[in-house]
């Protein structure tokens, strides 16, 4: 195996279990005999040692500023049952937290660094798991990952691999980036429904966004249900309509769902019709959020409860400033349209925007429209999207629930 030797003192963050080795920390690379090129291959398993020759761990080599993502600390080889051990541990956590029930078979099984598997995401939807690799190392391991997930998780019959949008853009990748790795049933049939807290969702992992569904809003949707009774609700950026379904079950007077994607709106309509076949109080509109809010304002419409769950406005650090302006603008528009005594659920899923900055953007929005605003709840990602305490970068979803006078 290739060995990476660090510069003196650069082992300290690894000793504190932070799983990334930055390229600037590397003194030398000792390639093993199998190499003809002058550098390790992207995705190969490498050993990391301190300047004094201490074994720090084993991880996947990457091209870029993060050079190695550590899979196991303090060893020179991965144990033979590495995948089984890690995936089973992650499953046990979900099970012990009560997330796997007959009325809830939708959950995130593996959340990257949060489950000590950097670069790997696995979401489970009823009998199908969707695996997403964010590193070439994980891509190379996709077969063993799929086999282990199907062995460990009793409900899983099919494993779909979906990494066309997540693997590093220029990475040399062998094999398909999308497709079924295991398939025993017909998961794309009209009969397929994945259950979240008793609500049934059609999930389209083939054509949908990310792995097909935003599992990360489950607990926050449940909170919307608690506040929805008799309210006129606007669910902006609704995607598959998660918040809308919970609001309808919570007794909302009326729910409007808005998304720019027609495919999303088709899914919302299918999900509402399936769960609430008699509902006449739901409308889904395909529109750009900013244009929609401007048009509603011109028409003099107001709402009791608005949900704003936009896509990540900042995908990188250098986009943060513009993103904050975007959050401020959209929140100001929403706050303006909330009736006195109404509620705003507002979110940011940009990892690069921290919770202080997001709160400040929402504060500026409230101040700019001159409303009295109180924070009722501060929300975050749920327990199946855990944050490794040594890797605070894993925190990305934040939300505020505001009472608007
Ligand atoms: N709230 C959703 C997840 C939202 S993901 C849930 O609970 O599942 C963000 C959504 O915003 C995507 O569906 C995307 O199609 C939509 N979107 C992106 N840009 C938009 C825009 N300018 N106007 C309206 N919707 C937009």
């Amino acid at each position: 195996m290739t060995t990476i030797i660090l510069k003196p003192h650069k082992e300290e963050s690894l000793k504190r279990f932070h799983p990334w080795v930055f390229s600037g920390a590397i003194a030398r690379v000792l390639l093993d005999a199998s190499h003809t090129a002058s550098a390790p291959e992207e995705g190969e398993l490498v050993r990391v040692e301190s300047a004094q020759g201490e074994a720090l761990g084993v991880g996947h080599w990457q091209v870029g500023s993060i050079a190695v993502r550590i899979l196991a600390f303090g060893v020179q080889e991965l144990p033979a049952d590495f995948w089984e051990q890690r995936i089973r541990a992650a499953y046990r956590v979900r099970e012990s937290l009560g997330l796997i029930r007959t009325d809830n078979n939708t959950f995130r099984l593996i959340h990257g660094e949060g489950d000590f598997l950097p670069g790997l995401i696995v979401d489970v939807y009823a009998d199908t798991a969707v695996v997403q690799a964010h590193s070439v190392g994980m891509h190379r391991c996709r077969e063993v990952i799929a086999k282990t997930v199907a062995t460990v998780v009793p409900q899983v019959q099919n494993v779909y691999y979906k990494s066309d949008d997540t693997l590093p853009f220029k990475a040399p990748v062998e094999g398909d980036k999308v497709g079924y790795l295991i398939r025993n049933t017909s998961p794309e049939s009209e009969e397929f429904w994945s259950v979240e807290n008793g609500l049934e969702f059609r999930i389209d992992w083939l054509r949908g966004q990310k792995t097909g569904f935003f599992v990360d809003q489950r607990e926050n949707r449940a909170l919307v249900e608690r506040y929805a009774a008799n309210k006129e609700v606007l669910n902006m950026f609704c995607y598959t309509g998660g918040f809308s379904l919970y609001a309808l079950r919570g007794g909302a007077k009326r729910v409007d769902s808005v998304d720019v994607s027609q495919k999303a709106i088709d899914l919302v309509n299918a999900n509402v019709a399936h769960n609430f076949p008699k509902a006449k109080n739901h409308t889904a509109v395909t529109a750009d959020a900013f244009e929609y809010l401007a048009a509603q304002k011109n028409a003099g419409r107001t709402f009791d409860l608005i949900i704003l769950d936009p896509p990540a406005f900042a995908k990188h650090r250098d986009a943060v400033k513009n993103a904050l302006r975007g959050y401020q603008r959209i929140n100001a528009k929403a706050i303006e349209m909330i009736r006195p005594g109404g509620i705003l659920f507002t979110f940011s899923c940009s990892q690069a925007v921290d919770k202080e900055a997001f709160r400040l953007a929402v504060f500026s929005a409230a101040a700019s429209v001159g409303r009295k605003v109180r924070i009722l709840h501060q929300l975050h990602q749920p327990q199946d999207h855990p944050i490794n305490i040594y890797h605070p970068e894993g925190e990305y979803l934040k939300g505020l629930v505001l009472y608007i006078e």
Side-chain angles (χ1 to χ4, degrees):
M1 206 188 288
T2 290
T3 304
I4 310 297
I5 317 270
L6 300 188
K7 293 176 183 165
H9 310 299
K10 291 295 184 188
E11 71 279 10
E12 279 156 22
S13 66
L14 289 184
K15 289 200 152 173
R16 278 182 267 114
F17 305 114
H18 189 283
W20 297 347
V21 176
F22 289 97
S23 55
I26 296 175
R28 274 179 309 141
V29 175
L30 305 179
L31 293 171
D32 70 19
S34 71
H35 289 81
T36 46
S38 59
E41 266 178 45
E42 178 142 31
E44 81 172 82
L45 212 54
V46 296
R47 268 183 203 138
V48 182
E49 285 183 6
S50 70
Q52 292 81 37
E54 189 183 356
L56 297 170
V58 172
H60 285 141
W61 177 261
Q62 276 192 189
V63 174
S65 79
I66 303 171
V68 185
R69 285 163 112 169
I70 298 288
L71 297 172
F73 289 98
V75 294
Q76 291 193 304
E77 306 275 344
L78 287 187
D81 62 349
F82 172 77
W83 295 103
E84 161 91 21
Q85 235 184 57
R86 284 287 153 92
I87 293 171
R88 198 170 286 286
Y91 181 72
R92 283 212 191 98
V93 171
R94 277 68 183 167
E95 205 175 30
S96 73
L97 295 172
L99 288 176
I100 306 168
R101 315 183 303 267
T102 46
D103 70 339
N104 195 81
N105 58 21
T106 307
F107 59 93
R108 176 156 290 191
L109 173 66
I110 306 286
H111 185 61
E113 279 81 353
D115 285 295
F116 314 112
L117 288 169
L120 181 66
I121 297 293
V122 182
D123 285 333
V124 177
Y125 305 131
D127 63 0
T128 301
V130 181
V131 171
Q132 199 176 58
H134 289 249
S135 70
V136 180
M138 286 298 179
H139 173 76
R140 287 185 172 195
C141 300
R142 64 198 180 284
E143 296 284 350
V144 60
I145 292 167
K147 228 171 78 199
T148 313
V149 167
T151 310
V152 165
V153 185
Q155 74 192 58
V156 169
Q157 300 291 322
N158 313 295
V159 179
Y160 187 72
Y161 183 59
K162 188 177 186 189
S163 302
D164 45 346
D165 284 337
T166 55
L167 285 166
F169 179 57
K170 290 185 202 140
V173 166
E174 279 176 24
D176 292 339
K177 294 183 193 173
V178 290
Y180 284 94
L181 297 172
I182 297 175
R183 185 171 186 165
N184 289 308
T185 69
S186 306
E188 290 150 40
S189 81
E190 290 289 298
E191 304 306 312
F192 177 90
W193 296 98
S194 194
V195 193
E196 183 186 88
N197 286 329
L199 291 164
E200 300 194 320
F201 289 87
R202 164 137 306 144
I203 296 175
D204 185 355
W205 48 84
L206 298 188
R207 287 162 294 264
Q209 302 173 34
K210 306 278 174 89
T211 63
F213 189 66
F214 289 88
V215 187
D216 58 1
Q217 289 287 22
R218 180 187 55 244
E219 309 300 322
N220 303 330
R221 290 177 189 132
L223 191 62
V224 162
E225 180 173 2
R226 271 172 52 193
Y227 285 115
N230 303 316
K231 296 215 162 71
E232 284 190 37
V233 176
L234 172 61
N235 180 12
M236 297 298 298
F237 308 96
C238 64
Y239 190 39
T240 52
F243 284 104
S244 305
L245 261 60
Y246 282 75
L248 287 167
R249 191 167 66 180
K253 198 189 294 170
R254 174 186 167 135
V255 179
D256 287 28
S257 304
V258 179
D259 200 286
V260 77
S261 147
Q262 182 59 45
K263 275 187 279 179
I265 294 301
D266 294 343
L267 278 170
V268 180
N269 283 327
N271 287 332
V272 171
H274 178 72
N275 287 274
F276 305 98
K278 294 199 192 103
K280 291 201 171 59
N281 55 345
H282 177 259
T283 314
V285 181
T286 311
D288 167 76
F290 288 94
E291 288 172 14
Y292 179 86
L293 288 176
Q296 297 302 303
K297 191 184 165 196
N298 285 341
R301 265 194 91 187
T302 54
F303 297 88
D304 301 305
L305 194 163
I306 297 182
I307 299 134
L308 285 184
D309 184 23
F313 281 170
K315 297 221 158 66
H316 301 286
R317 297 237 150 250
D318 43 11
V320 167
K321 223 165 133 194
N322 276 340
L324 289 171
R325 257 186 244 124
Y327 287 121
Q328 185 184 335
R329 245 179 83 213
I330 192 101
N331 278 280
K333 292 207 177 308
I335 292 171
E336 268 188 316
M337 295 180 62
I338 292 186
R339 292 180 192 142
I343 288 178
L344 174 67
F345 278 70
T346 182
F347 296 96
S348 162
C349 59
S350 306
Q351 191 270 338
V353 172
D354 66 27
K355 53 176 177 280
E356 289 4 290
F358 177 61
R359 189 165 150 167
L360 197 61
V362 177
F363 160 90
S364 307
S368 74
V369 293
R371 300 283 294 269
K372 260 195 190 153
V373 174
R374 276 175 270 188
I375 298 176
L376 303 180
H377 301 269
Q378 306 197 43
L379 305 177
H380 37 82
Q381 63 213 63
Q383 64 276 51
D384 49 349
H385 295 57
I387 303 160
N388 175 344
I389 202 161
Y390 306 113
H391 179 260
E393 296 91 330
E395 186 171 358
Y396 71 100
L397 181 64
K398 54 247 151 230
L400 294 168
V401 183
L402 306 177
Y403 185 88
I404 319 274
E405 282 198 24

